[in-house]
Amino acid sequence: MQLKVITSAANEHYKHWKKLNESARACRKAGATLAEGIHLAQVILEHGAPVRAVLIRENSATAEALALAGEIVRSTGAAAYELGAALYDAVSPVERGVGITLEVQIAAPERPASPIACDALYLDGVQDTGNAGTLIRTAVASGVRAIAASPSSACLWSPKVLRAGMGAHFGAVIYENVEPEDLRNLFAARRLAADARGGMDLFRSCGWEAGCTVWMMGAEGPGLSDRALQAADARYLIPIEEACESLNVGAAAAVCLFEQRRRRLMLGQERR
Amino acid sequence: MQLKVITSAANEHYKHWKKLNESARACRKAGATLAEGIHLAQVILEHGAPVRAVLIRENSATAEALALAGEIVRSTGAAAYELGAALYDAVSPVERGVGITLEVQIAAPERPASPIACDALYLDGVQDTGNAGTLIRTAVASGVRAIAASPSSACLWSPKVLRAGMGAHFGAVIYENVEPEDLRNLFAARRLAADARGGMDLFRSCGWEAGCTVWMMGAEGPGLSDRALQAADARYLIPIEEACESLNVGAAAAVCLFEQRRRRLMLGQERR
């Protein structure tokens, strides 16, 4: 593997990666993001995601990281760069990592001409990057592979969200900048609002799992916006203890999405 | 409300709070922690938790924060301090808060003479403070109020975990430094291990929700330790999509604890 050595902070590539690492907006604009570590690199290699560059930390990348870097370069034809420790640390999303970071092209799917019949998860104003990543991971694990997010949500392809997603991004189709009113044009599915303030009992109400669904989750604190609630077909409440106000949005999504999965698995079993 | 003004970094109180903010170990040693913000302060006031001091940020605490501070001082007799902005920011767990932080005594319950028959959640090596706090919040919301944690877990009363718990700590009984082998001495309950590597299907297996349970959750990455698995009565697997490796520990706990809650609620309904 040929490594291009970067030792100067004036290097154009370096400046580009630094921007990606520091600003989600820069990621959107460049159509690219940064993925750190062995696990993400392996997932990216497996999914054949378009790698633009492989970044290696000088003198400190682990043998495993170097071997994986070689494999990615061979498989994708991406250029590999060796960065001095201080330069690498300024562009890497993780403080004490294994010394490999990839620049990856963001997969921005085209909006469909007519609504797609599939299950989806909608994030309405979820700004916490850890929560956003966990939500994508939970959705994909539950069998829901389409993710949509409002303009007020975190950039789902930012390095931090990518990291919290643990690779789930590459098994998902991610639509950003989707207004609640546009959901009906995107998905041919019933829109179910998870609302801590009221609605039907998630566990006791029947039939909502039939057909395709879009589960809509709001931000920590405010919950779903009025516009999102108006765009919903029905509202559901997770029956929590009275003394508690609400669940963390990641926990709430896990409960809704896995109750959906449970019902479908059990129904499939009964039909067999 | 009388405010004692602190303007010097040499002040003993200030040095004490700074230690609490910076080190979970210091919290354990002092038997105290720091709680920032309106929501936590309200929960602490409602639960009558022992407040040692009320800290106010000079010239920038909101009117709501000041009113709440006055109420807490009247109700608990705690002393109130006004700190210069820089001093306050050095002891407050939150960067841009509303200007109120409480020093609260940690409630360390005595170990029972004989095992208690109650539901519990056990954290085995969960070190991420956000995950630990979310786990406590999810447990209490699901009706599980006893929390135990291994010595390798995060300090559950550290300011960061307290913040992620959103007040759930004060509705819980929290046992720290509990080895997996000691669970049987603490709780008269079946120990159920949540294990992404194998076990019975959580949804398809019957009866595990009967009687008291201790759900055991492992750390991100390694999962439950061998010792924890050996201390378990049974292992359960959440049936996720094959392409995914595992769920975030907070999402996994939400699925297990709310499947338990769902079964008990539905069973209660059938009995009526």
Side-chain angles (χ1 to χ4, degrees), chain B residues 1 3 16-18 20-21 32-42 44 51-58 60-62 64-66 68-70 72-73 78-83 85 87-104 159-160 162-163:
Chain B
M1 173 175 57
L3 289 170
H16 167 68
W17 295 322
K18 194 155 183 286
L20 295 185
N21 191 31
T33 187
L34 296 173
E36 192 277 345
I38 298 286
H39 178 73
L40 274 179
Q42 281 171 337
I44 286 165
V51 178
R52 289 190 179 171
V54 179
L55 285 57
I56 294 292
R57 192 176 194 268
E58 183 194 22
S60 48
T62 63
E64 192 185 9
L66 286 172
L68 193 54
I72 291 167
V73 165
Y81 300 86
E82 184 181 80
L83 281 74
L87 294 183
Y88 181 91
D89 293 346
V91 305
S92 171
V94 171
E95 263 182 51
R96 276 179 293 271
V98 293
I100 179 171
T101 294
L102 307 182
E103 180 187 348
V104 192
K160 281 179 188 167
L162 193 64
R163 184 167 169 75

Short mmCIF file of all heavy atoms in Angstrom, two decimals, chain B residues 1 3 16-18 20-21 32-42 44 51-58 60-62 64-66 68-70 72-73 78-83 85 87-104 159-160 162-163:
data_model
loop_
_atom_site.label_atom_id
_atom_site.label_comp_id
_atom_site.label_asym_id
_atom_site.label_seq_id
_atom_site.Cartn_x
_atom_site.Cartn_y
_atom_site.Cartn_z
N MET B 1 -33.90 34.99 50.69
CA MET B 1 -32.83 33.97 50.69
C MET B 1 -31.46 34.65 50.84
O MET B 1 -31.11 35.52 50.05
CB MET B 1 -32.88 33.19 49.37
CG MET B 1 -31.74 32.23 49.16
SD MET B 1 -31.93 31.25 47.67
CE MET B 1 -32.08 32.48 46.37
N LEU B 3 -27.59 34.77 50.49
CA LEU B 3 -26.58 34.13 49.64
C LEU B 3 -25.19 34.42 50.18
O LEU B 3 -24.83 35.58 50.39
CB LEU B 3 -26.67 34.67 48.21
CG LEU B 3 -27.88 34.25 47.38
CD1 LEU B 3 -27.93 35.05 46.10
CD2 LEU B 3 -27.82 32.77 47.08
N HIS B 16 -14.14 21.81 47.05
CA HIS B 16 -14.91 20.58 47.27
C HIS B 16 -15.84 20.30 46.08
O HIS B 16 -15.85 19.19 45.52
CB HIS B 16 -15.71 20.74 48.57
CG HIS B 16 -16.76 19.71 48.79
ND1 HIS B 16 -16.48 18.39 49.05
CD2 HIS B 16 -18.13 19.81 48.81
CE1 HIS B 16 -17.62 17.73 49.20
NE2 HIS B 16 -18.63 18.57 49.06
N TRP B 17 -16.60 21.31 45.65
CA TRP B 17 -17.53 21.12 44.52
C TRP B 17 -16.79 20.81 43.23
O TRP B 17 -17.25 20.02 42.41
CB TRP B 17 -18.40 22.38 44.34
CG TRP B 17 -19.30 22.64 45.50
CD1 TRP B 17 -19.96 21.71 46.26
CD2 TRP B 17 -19.61 23.93 46.08
NE1 TRP B 17 -20.67 22.33 47.26
CE2 TRP B 17 -20.49 23.69 47.17
CE3 TRP B 17 -19.25 25.24 45.79
CZ2 TRP B 17 -20.99 24.72 47.96
CZ3 TRP B 17 -19.76 26.26 46.56
CH2 TRP B 17 -20.62 26.01 47.65
N LYS B 18 -15.64 21.47 43.05
CA LYS B 18 -14.86 21.24 41.84
C LYS B 18 -14.43 19.76 41.78
O LYS B 18 -14.49 19.13 40.72
CB LYS B 18 -13.63 22.16 41.84
CG LYS B 18 -12.91 22.25 40.51
CD LYS B 18 -12.15 23.57 40.39
CE LYS B 18 -11.51 23.70 39.03
NZ LYS B 18 -10.33 22.82 38.88
N LEU B 20 -16.01 17.23 43.19
CA LEU B 20 -17.21 16.42 42.91
C LEU B 20 -17.53 16.44 41.41
O LEU B 20 -17.90 15.42 40.83
CB LEU B 20 -18.42 16.96 43.68
CG LEU B 20 -18.40 16.91 45.20
CD1 LEU B 20 -19.74 17.39 45.75
CD2 LEU B 20 -18.10 15.51 45.71
N ASN B 21 -17.36 17.61 40.81
CA ASN B 21 -17.69 17.75 39.39
C ASN B 21 -16.72 16.99 38.50
O ASN B 21 -17.07 16.50 37.44
CB ASN B 21 -17.70 19.23 39.00
CG ASN B 21 -18.29 19.45 37.62
OD1 ASN B 21 -19.16 18.69 37.19
ND2 ASN B 21 -17.82 20.47 36.93
N ALA B 32 -21.60 12.52 48.20
CA ALA B 32 -22.40 13.64 47.67
C ALA B 32 -22.19 13.76 46.17
O ALA B 32 -21.20 13.25 45.62
CB ALA B 32 -22.00 14.93 48.35
N THR B 33 -23.13 14.44 45.51
CA THR B 33 -23.00 14.66 44.08
C THR B 33 -23.57 16.03 43.72
O THR B 33 -24.05 16.75 44.61
CB THR B 33 -23.72 13.54 43.28
OG1 THR B 33 -23.45 13.70 41.89
CG2 THR B 33 -25.24 13.58 43.50
N LEU B 34 -23.47 16.40 42.45
CA LEU B 34 -23.98 17.70 41.99
C LEU B 34 -25.09 17.49 40.98
O LEU B 34 -24.98 16.65 40.08
CB LEU B 34 -22.84 18.50 41.33
CG LEU B 34 -21.68 18.89 42.25
CD1 LEU B 34 -20.57 19.53 41.43
CD2 LEU B 34 -22.15 19.83 43.35
N ALA B 35 -26.16 18.27 41.14
CA ALA B 35 -27.31 18.17 40.24
C ALA B 35 -27.58 19.54 39.65
O ALA B 35 -27.80 20.50 40.38
CB ALA B 35 -28.53 17.67 41.00
N GLU B 36 -27.55 19.63 38.31
CA GLU B 36 -27.72 20.93 37.67
C GLU B 36 -29.10 21.07 37.05
O GLU B 36 -29.65 20.10 36.53
CB GLU B 36 -26.65 21.11 36.58
CG GLU B 36 -26.53 22.51 36.03
CD GLU B 36 -27.54 22.85 34.95
OE1 GLU B 36 -28.18 21.93 34.39
OE2 GLU B 36 -27.71 24.06 34.68
N GLY B 37 -29.65 22.27 37.11
CA GLY B 37 -30.84 22.57 36.30
C GLY B 37 -32.16 22.51 37.04
O GLY B 37 -32.28 21.94 38.12
N ILE B 38 -33.17 23.10 36.40
CA ILE B 38 -34.50 23.21 36.97
C ILE B 38 -35.13 21.84 37.21
O ILE B 38 -35.64 21.55 38.29
CB ILE B 38 -35.42 24.02 36.02
CG1 ILE B 38 -34.89 25.45 35.84
CG2 ILE B 38 -36.87 24.02 36.52
CD1 ILE B 38 -35.10 26.34 37.02
N HIS B 39 -35.06 20.99 36.19
CA HIS B 39 -35.78 19.72 36.28
C HIS B 39 -35.28 18.88 37.45
O HIS B 39 -36.07 18.41 38.28
CB HIS B 39 -35.67 18.95 34.97
CG HIS B 39 -36.36 17.62 35.03
ND1 HIS B 39 -37.72 17.50 35.02
CD2 HIS B 39 -35.88 16.36 35.15
CE1 HIS B 39 -38.05 16.22 35.12
NE2 HIS B 39 -36.94 15.52 35.20
N LEU B 40 -33.96 18.69 37.54
CA LEU B 40 -33.41 17.88 38.63
C LEU B 40 -33.72 18.52 39.98
O LEU B 40 -34.06 17.84 40.94
CB LEU B 40 -31.89 17.70 38.45
CG LEU B 40 -31.44 16.54 37.56
CD1 LEU B 40 -29.92 16.50 37.48
CD2 LEU B 40 -31.96 15.20 38.10
N ALA B 41 -33.60 19.87 40.05
CA ALA B 41 -33.86 20.55 41.32
C ALA B 41 -35.31 20.34 41.76
O ALA B 41 -35.60 20.11 42.94
CB ALA B 41 -33.54 22.04 41.18
N GLN B 42 -36.24 20.38 40.81
CA GLN B 42 -37.66 20.14 41.14
C GLN B 42 -37.87 18.72 41.66
O GLN B 42 -38.58 18.51 42.65
CB GLN B 42 -38.53 20.38 39.90
CG GLN B 42 -38.79 21.84 39.63
CD GLN B 42 -39.46 22.09 38.29
OE1 GLN B 42 -39.36 21.25 37.39
NE2 GLN B 42 -40.12 23.23 38.14
N ILE B 44 -35.70 16.78 43.05
CA ILE B 44 -35.05 16.66 44.36
C ILE B 44 -35.93 17.27 45.45
O ILE B 44 -36.09 16.71 46.54
CB ILE B 44 -33.65 17.32 44.30
CG1 ILE B 44 -32.70 16.40 43.51
CG2 ILE B 44 -33.10 17.62 45.69
CD1 ILE B 44 -31.42 17.06 43.06
N VAL B 51 -30.48 17.98 50.56
CA VAL B 51 -29.65 18.97 49.85
C VAL B 51 -28.64 19.55 50.82
O VAL B 51 -28.98 19.97 51.91
CB VAL B 51 -30.55 20.09 49.28
CG1 VAL B 51 -29.69 21.15 48.58
CG2 VAL B 51 -31.58 19.52 48.32
N ARG B 52 -27.37 19.57 50.43
CA ARG B 52 -26.33 20.12 51.30
C ARG B 52 -26.06 21.59 51.00
O ARG B 52 -25.66 22.34 51.88
CB ARG B 52 -25.03 19.33 51.14
CG ARG B 52 -25.11 17.93 51.73
CD ARG B 52 -23.72 17.32 51.74
NE ARG B 52 -23.72 15.98 52.31
CZ ARG B 52 -22.66 15.18 52.26
NH1 ARG B 52 -21.54 15.58 51.66
NH2 ARG B 52 -22.72 13.98 52.80
N ALA B 53 -26.20 21.97 49.72
CA ALA B 53 -25.93 23.36 49.37
C ALA B 53 -26.62 23.70 48.05
O ALA B 53 -26.83 22.82 47.21
CB ALA B 53 -24.42 23.60 49.23
N VAL B 54 -26.97 24.98 47.91
CA VAL B 54 -27.57 25.48 46.67
C VAL B 54 -26.59 26.47 46.06
O VAL B 54 -26.18 27.43 46.72
CB VAL B 54 -28.92 26.18 46.95
CG1 VAL B 54 -29.52 26.70 45.65
CG2 VAL B 54 -29.88 25.24 47.66
N LEU B 55 -26.18 26.22 44.81
CA LEU B 55 -25.19 27.07 44.15
C LEU B 55 -25.89 27.89 43.05
O LEU B 55 -26.61 27.32 42.22
CB LEU B 55 -24.09 26.23 43.50
CG LEU B 55 -23.03 25.60 44.40
CD1 LEU B 55 -23.61 24.70 45.47
CD2 LEU B 55 -22.05 24.80 43.54
N ILE B 56 -25.65 29.18 43.08
CA ILE B 56 -26.28 30.09 42.12
C ILE B 56 -25.19 30.81 41.33
O ILE B 56 -24.17 31.22 41.89
CB ILE B 56 -27.14 31.14 42.89
CG1 ILE B 56 -28.31 30.44 43.59
CG2 ILE B 56 -27.62 32.25 41.98
CD1 ILE B 56 -29.34 29.87 42.64
N ARG B 57 -25.41 30.97 40.02
CA ARG B 57 -24.43 31.66 39.18
C ARG B 57 -24.70 33.16 39.24
O ARG B 57 -25.81 33.61 38.93
CB ARG B 57 -24.53 31.16 37.74
CG ARG B 57 -23.38 31.59 36.85
CD ARG B 57 -23.57 30.93 35.48
NE ARG B 57 -22.40 31.00 34.63
CZ ARG B 57 -22.17 31.97 33.75
NH1 ARG B 57 -23.02 32.97 33.64
NH2 ARG B 57 -21.08 31.95 32.98
N GLU B 58 -23.70 33.92 39.60
CA GLU B 58 -23.82 35.37 39.79
C GLU B 58 -24.35 36.05 38.53
O GLU B 58 -23.86 35.82 37.43
CB GLU B 58 -22.43 35.94 40.13
CG GLU B 58 -22.43 37.42 40.41
CD GLU B 58 -20.99 37.98 40.41
OE1 GLU B 58 -20.09 37.33 39.80
OE2 GLU B 58 -20.78 39.03 41.01
N SER B 60 -26.60 35.64 36.51
CA SER B 60 -27.10 34.98 35.31
C SER B 60 -28.07 33.85 35.60
O SER B 60 -28.58 33.23 34.66
CB SER B 60 -25.94 34.48 34.45
OG SER B 60 -25.03 33.78 35.25
N ALA B 61 -28.35 33.58 36.88
CA ALA B 61 -29.38 32.58 37.15
C ALA B 61 -30.72 33.15 36.70
O ALA B 61 -31.00 34.33 36.89
CB ALA B 61 -29.41 32.25 38.64
N THR B 62 -31.55 32.29 36.08
CA THR B 62 -32.86 32.75 35.62
C THR B 62 -33.77 32.99 36.83
O THR B 62 -33.52 32.50 37.93
CB THR B 62 -33.52 31.69 34.71
OG1 THR B 62 -33.73 30.50 35.50
CG2 THR B 62 -32.64 31.34 33.53
N GLU B 64 -36.67 31.80 37.31
CA GLU B 64 -37.21 30.51 37.72
C GLU B 64 -36.22 29.76 38.62
O GLU B 64 -36.60 29.18 39.64
CB GLU B 64 -37.50 29.68 36.46
CG GLU B 64 -38.32 28.43 36.72
CD GLU B 64 -38.50 27.58 35.47
OE1 GLU B 64 -37.83 27.87 34.44
OE2 GLU B 64 -39.28 26.63 35.51
N ALA B 65 -34.94 29.82 38.26
CA ALA B 65 -33.90 29.16 39.05
C ALA B 65 -33.81 29.79 40.44
O ALA B 65 -33.70 29.09 41.45
CB ALA B 65 -32.56 29.24 38.32
N LEU B 66 -33.89 31.11 40.51
CA LEU B 66 -33.79 31.81 41.79
C LEU B 66 -34.99 31.50 42.68
O LEU B 66 -34.84 31.27 43.89
CB LEU B 66 -33.67 33.33 41.57
CG LEU B 66 -32.31 33.80 41.04
CD1 LEU B 66 -32.36 35.27 40.66
CD2 LEU B 66 -31.21 33.53 42.08
N LEU B 68 -36.82 28.82 42.59
CA LEU B 68 -36.69 27.42 43.02
C LEU B 68 -35.62 27.31 44.11
O LEU B 68 -35.81 26.58 45.10
CB LEU B 68 -36.32 26.57 41.81
CG LEU B 68 -36.41 25.06 41.93
CD1 LEU B 68 -37.78 24.62 42.41
CD2 LEU B 68 -36.10 24.41 40.58
N ALA B 69 -34.53 28.04 43.96
CA ALA B 69 -33.47 28.04 44.98
C ALA B 69 -34.04 28.47 46.32
O ALA B 69 -33.77 27.84 47.36
CB ALA B 69 -32.34 28.97 44.54
N GLY B 70 -34.85 29.54 46.31
CA GLY B 70 -35.45 30.02 47.55
C GLY B 70 -36.34 28.97 48.20
O GLY B 70 -36.27 28.73 49.41
N ILE B 72 -36.10 25.71 47.84
CA ILE B 72 -35.28 24.61 48.35
C ILE B 72 -34.62 25.00 49.67
O ILE B 72 -34.56 24.20 50.61
CB ILE B 72 -34.24 24.18 47.29
CG1 ILE B 72 -34.95 23.52 46.11
CG2 ILE B 72 -33.19 23.26 47.87
CD1 ILE B 72 -34.10 23.34 44.88
N VAL B 73 -34.14 26.24 49.76
CA VAL B 73 -33.51 26.70 51.00
C VAL B 73 -34.53 26.68 52.14
O VAL B 73 -34.23 26.20 53.23
CB VAL B 73 -32.92 28.13 50.79
CG1 VAL B 73 -32.59 28.77 52.12
CG2 VAL B 73 -31.68 28.06 49.90
N ALA B 78 -30.87 24.15 53.59
CA ALA B 78 -29.52 24.15 53.01
C ALA B 78 -29.01 25.58 52.86
O ALA B 78 -29.80 26.52 52.70
CB ALA B 78 -29.54 23.47 51.64
N ALA B 79 -27.70 25.75 52.92
CA ALA B 79 -27.11 27.07 52.70
C ALA B 79 -27.05 27.36 51.20
O ALA B 79 -26.91 26.44 50.39
CB ALA B 79 -25.69 27.11 53.27
N ALA B 80 -27.19 28.64 50.85
CA ALA B 80 -27.14 29.04 49.44
C ALA B 80 -25.90 29.87 49.18
O ALA B 80 -25.51 30.71 50.00
CB ALA B 80 -28.40 29.82 49.06
N TYR B 81 -25.26 29.63 48.05
CA TYR B 81 -24.02 30.31 47.70
C TYR B 81 -24.14 30.95 46.33
O TYR B 81 -24.71 30.35 45.41
CB TYR B 81 -22.85 29.32 47.68
CG TYR B 81 -22.61 28.64 48.99
CD1 TYR B 81 -23.31 27.48 49.32
CD2 TYR B 81 -21.68 29.14 49.92
CE1 TYR B 81 -23.10 26.84 50.54
CE2 TYR B 81 -21.47 28.51 51.14
CZ TYR B 81 -22.18 27.35 51.44
OH TYR B 81 -21.98 26.73 52.64
N GLU B 82 -23.60 32.15 46.21
CA GLU B 82 -23.52 32.77 44.89
C GLU B 82 -22.06 32.72 44.44
O GLU B 82 -21.17 33.19 45.15
CB GLU B 82 -24.00 34.22 44.95
CG GLU B 82 -24.02 34.88 43.60
CD GLU B 82 -24.48 36.33 43.69
OE1 GLU B 82 -23.64 37.19 44.05
OE2 GLU B 82 -25.65 36.59 43.41
N LEU B 83 -21.85 32.15 43.26
CA LEU B 83 -20.48 32.01 42.76
C LEU B 83 -20.30 32.91 41.54
O LEU B 83 -21.21 33.02 40.70
CB LEU B 83 -20.20 30.56 42.34
CG LEU B 83 -19.88 29.57 43.45
CD1 LEU B 83 -21.13 29.20 44.24
CD2 LEU B 83 -19.23 28.30 42.87
N ALA B 85 -19.15 33.91 37.85
CA ALA B 85 -19.45 33.11 36.67
C ALA B 85 -18.39 32.05 36.39
O ALA B 85 -18.70 30.87 36.17
CB ALA B 85 -19.62 34.03 35.45
N LEU B 87 -16.17 30.74 38.41
CA LEU B 87 -16.14 29.73 39.47
C LEU B 87 -17.32 28.77 39.30
O LEU B 87 -17.18 27.55 39.39
CB LEU B 87 -16.20 30.39 40.85
CG LEU B 87 -15.00 31.25 41.26
CD1 LEU B 87 -15.20 31.78 42.68
CD2 LEU B 87 -13.69 30.49 41.17
N TYR B 88 -18.51 29.34 39.07
CA TYR B 88 -19.70 28.49 38.89
C TYR B 88 -19.50 27.52 37.73
O TYR B 88 -19.78 26.32 37.86
CB TYR B 88 -20.94 29.35 38.64
CG TYR B 88 -22.20 28.55 38.47
CD1 TYR B 88 -23.01 28.23 39.56
CD2 TYR B 88 -22.57 28.07 37.22
CE1 TYR B 88 -24.15 27.45 39.40
CE2 TYR B 88 -23.71 27.29 37.05
CZ TYR B 88 -24.50 26.99 38.15
OH TYR B 88 -25.62 26.22 37.97
N ASP B 89 -18.99 28.05 36.62
CA ASP B 89 -18.82 27.19 35.44
C ASP B 89 -17.84 26.05 35.69
O ASP B 89 -17.94 25.00 35.07
CB ASP B 89 -18.38 28.03 34.24
CG ASP B 89 -19.48 29.00 33.80
OD1 ASP B 89 -20.64 28.82 34.24
OD2 ASP B 89 -19.19 29.93 33.04
N ALA B 90 -16.90 26.27 36.62
CA ALA B 90 -15.92 25.23 36.91
C ALA B 90 -16.50 24.12 37.79
O ALA B 90 -15.96 23.02 37.86
CB ALA B 90 -14.69 25.83 37.58
N VAL B 91 -17.60 24.38 38.48
CA VAL B 91 -18.18 23.36 39.35
C VAL B 91 -19.51 22.83 38.82
O VAL B 91 -20.08 21.89 39.38
CB VAL B 91 -18.41 23.88 40.80
CG1 VAL B 91 -17.12 24.43 41.38
CG2 VAL B 91 -19.51 24.93 40.86
N SER B 92 -20.01 23.41 37.73
CA SER B 92 -21.31 22.98 37.23
C SER B 92 -21.16 21.91 36.16
O SER B 92 -20.34 22.03 35.26
CB SER B 92 -22.07 24.17 36.64
OG SER B 92 -23.23 23.70 35.99
N PRO B 93 -21.96 20.84 36.26
CA PRO B 93 -21.84 19.75 35.28
C PRO B 93 -22.32 20.14 33.87
O PRO B 93 -22.11 19.37 32.94
CB PRO B 93 -22.76 18.66 35.85
CG PRO B 93 -23.07 19.06 37.25
CD PRO B 93 -22.94 20.54 37.31
N VAL B 94 -22.94 21.29 33.70
CA VAL B 94 -23.51 21.66 32.40
C VAL B 94 -22.92 22.97 31.92
O VAL B 94 -22.75 23.91 32.70
CB VAL B 94 -25.05 21.78 32.52
CG1 VAL B 94 -25.64 22.36 31.26
CG2 VAL B 94 -25.65 20.42 32.82
N GLU B 95 -22.62 23.04 30.63
CA GLU B 95 -21.92 24.21 30.12
C GLU B 95 -22.78 25.47 30.10
O GLU B 95 -22.41 26.49 30.65
CB GLU B 95 -21.35 23.93 28.72
CG GLU B 95 -19.89 23.53 28.80
CD GLU B 95 -19.31 23.31 27.42
OE1 GLU B 95 -19.47 24.18 26.56
OE2 GLU B 95 -18.71 22.23 27.21
N ARG B 96 -23.91 25.41 29.43
CA ARG B 96 -24.78 26.60 29.39
C ARG B 96 -26.08 26.28 30.08
O ARG B 96 -27.09 26.01 29.45
CB ARG B 96 -25.01 27.03 27.94
CG ARG B 96 -23.91 27.89 27.38
CD ARG B 96 -24.20 28.25 25.94
NE ARG B 96 -24.15 27.07 25.10
CZ ARG B 96 -23.05 26.63 24.50
NH1 ARG B 96 -21.93 27.31 24.61
NH2 ARG B 96 -23.07 25.55 23.77
N GLY B 97 -26.06 26.29 31.40
CA GLY B 97 -27.25 25.93 32.17
C GLY B 97 -28.03 27.17 32.58
O GLY B 97 -27.80 28.27 32.08
N VAL B 98 -28.98 26.95 33.49
CA VAL B 98 -29.83 28.05 33.93
C VAL B 98 -29.28 28.72 35.18
O VAL B 98 -29.86 29.68 35.67
CB VAL B 98 -31.27 27.56 34.21
CG1 VAL B 98 -31.93 27.12 32.92
CG2 VAL B 98 -31.26 26.44 35.23
N GLY B 99 -28.16 28.21 35.72
CA GLY B 99 -27.52 28.90 36.84
C GLY B 99 -27.88 28.38 38.22
O GLY B 99 -27.67 29.08 39.21
N ILE B 100 -28.43 27.16 38.32
CA ILE B 100 -28.64 26.55 39.63
C ILE B 100 -28.07 25.13 39.64
O ILE B 100 -28.30 24.35 38.71
CB ILE B 100 -30.13 26.54 40.05
CG1 ILE B 100 -30.29 25.88 41.43
CG2 ILE B 100 -31.00 25.86 39.02
CD1 ILE B 100 -31.70 26.01 42.02
N THR B 101 -27.27 24.86 40.67
CA THR B 101 -26.70 23.53 40.87
C THR B 101 -26.86 23.18 42.35
O THR B 101 -26.65 24.04 43.20
CB THR B 101 -25.21 23.50 40.48
OG1 THR B 101 -25.10 23.72 39.06
CG2 THR B 101 -24.55 22.18 40.81
N LEU B 102 -27.26 21.95 42.64
CA LEU B 102 -27.40 21.53 44.03
C LEU B 102 -26.32 20.52 44.40
O LEU B 102 -25.98 19.66 43.58
CB LEU B 102 -28.77 20.87 44.26
CG LEU B 102 -30.01 21.63 43.83
CD1 LEU B 102 -31.26 20.83 44.20
CD2 LEU B 102 -30.06 23.01 44.46
N GLU B 103 -25.80 20.65 45.63
CA GLU B 103 -25.02 19.55 46.17
C GLU B 103 -25.99 18.68 46.96
O GLU B 103 -26.67 19.15 47.87
CB GLU B 103 -23.89 20.04 47.10
CG GLU B 103 -23.08 18.87 47.63
CD GLU B 103 -22.05 19.24 48.70
OE1 GLU B 103 -21.79 20.45 48.89
OE2 GLU B 103 -21.52 18.31 49.35
N VAL B 104 -26.07 17.42 46.58
CA VAL B 104 -27.04 16.50 47.18
C VAL B 104 -26.31 15.33 47.82
O VAL B 104 -25.35 14.81 47.25
CB VAL B 104 -28.00 15.95 46.10
CG1 VAL B 104 -29.18 15.24 46.74
CG2 VAL B 104 -28.47 17.04 45.18
N PRO B 159 -22.22 13.23 38.64
CA PRO B 159 -23.07 14.27 38.05
C PRO B 159 -23.54 13.93 36.63
O PRO B 159 -24.69 14.22 36.27
CB PRO B 159 -22.15 15.50 38.06
CG PRO B 159 -21.24 15.27 39.21
CD PRO B 159 -20.99 13.79 39.23
N LYS B 160 -22.70 13.29 35.84
CA LYS B 160 -23.09 12.98 34.45
C LYS B 160 -24.18 11.91 34.38
O LYS B 160 -25.10 12.01 33.58
CB LYS B 160 -21.87 12.50 33.65
CG LYS B 160 -20.97 13.64 33.20
CD LYS B 160 -19.78 13.11 32.43
CE LYS B 160 -18.79 14.22 32.17
NZ LYS B 160 -17.50 13.70 31.70
N LEU B 162 -26.25 11.20 36.80
CA LEU B 162 -27.43 11.83 37.40
C LEU B 162 -28.18 12.63 36.35
O LEU B 162 -29.41 12.58 36.25
CB LEU B 162 -26.97 12.76 38.54
CG LEU B 162 -28.05 13.27 39.48
CD1 LEU B 162 -28.68 12.11 40.24
CD2 LEU B 162 -27.47 14.28 40.47
N ARG B 163 -27.44 13.36 35.54
CA ARG B 163 -28.06 14.19 34.51
C ARG B 163 -28.78 13.34 33.46
O ARG B 163 -29.91 13.62 33.10
CB ARG B 163 -26.97 15.03 33.84
CG ARG B 163 -27.53 15.99 32.84
CD ARG B 163 -26.54 17.03 32.40
NE ARG B 163 -27.11 17.73 31.26
CZ ARG B 163 -28.08 18.62 31.36
NH1 ARG B 163 -28.54 18.97 32.53
NH2 ARG B 163 -28.58 19.19 30.28
#
